[in-house]
Amino acid sequence: YMKLDFVLKMLCLKLLKPIARQTWAPGDRGAMDHPLIDLINAKIAEAEKDGAFDTLPGAGKPLPRLEDPENALRNRVIAEHGAEPEFVTLSRQLRQLRAELAEESDRTRRREIMKDMSMMEARIDLARRAYSR
């Protein structure tokens, strides 16, 4: 998960940094330095003229509100690839430990499981804090 977060941050910095430095408004020719900007604009104008954007789902409606706009890209990539935050995985492991504790009768083993549960709860707390940053 940490690698995914790092890759997404680097990707965003690489893609968005050049855009952030430029000021561009629709119809403002030459403001963007991309060598294919004229071709891109021509293709978009042609598609608009042909009505290619008229039948898109949600056309004419506002964009959906995002719960966490700051991390929208990261959350979308995680959801699309079936990944989950670390604290979710750890919470699942904690549930397994609780089930194991309920079935265990040996006092020594129960004490070990309770120690593992305590450590797991601390790890979950740290993972939640790291995820919300």
Side-chain angles (χ1 to χ4, degrees):
Y1 177 73
M2 296 298 284
K3 288 182 182 178
L4 176 65
D5 192 42
F6 175 75
V7 169
L8 288 174
K9 284 181 182 176
M10 295 308 293
L11 180 65
C12 287
L13 287 175
K14 186 173 184 172
L15 293 176
L16 299 179
K17 215 173 204 177
I19 294 171
R21 278 189 249 128
Q22 300 168 355
T23 56
W24 181 80
D28 185 13
R29 291 183 51 87
M32 292 185 76
D33 297 324
H34 196 283
L36 299 175
I37 194 65
D38 291 331
L39 176 64
I40 294 168
N41 286 334
K43 291 288 185 182
I44 292 172
E46 182 181 330
E48 281 179 333
K49 189 177 83 177
D50 294 342
F53 302 125
D54 295 343
T55 59
L56 292 175
K61 297 177 184 166
L63 292 173
R65 293 186 139 268
L66 300 173
E67 290 179 22
D68 186 8
E70 188 174 305
N71 296 312
L73 176 63
R74 176 182 72 171
N75 293 340
R76 189 177 102 209
V77 170
I78 287 171
E80 287 175 358
H81 295 288
E84 59 187 17
E86 183 182 18
F87 69 86
V88 174
T89 306
L90 294 173
S91 296
R92 189 175 300 115
Q93 293 172 3
L94 180 60
R95 278 193 301 275
Q96 291 171 346
L97 285 172
R98 287 183 177 144
E100 188 179 335
L101 179 66
E103 295 178 11
E104 187 62 54
S105 59
D106 180 42
R107 283 185 170 210
T108 305
R109 180 66 186 132
R110 286 180 62 86
R111 201 172 296 127
E112 289 172 7
I113 293 171
M114 288 175 24
K115 188 188 308 182
D116 290 344
M117 287 173 53
S118 178
M119 292 298 293
M120 188 67 68
E121 287 171 348
R123 288 179 62 197
I124 290 170
D125 186 49
L126 290 173
R128 276 198 175 115
R129 289 182 188 178
Y131 183 78
S132 64
R133 280 191 219 153

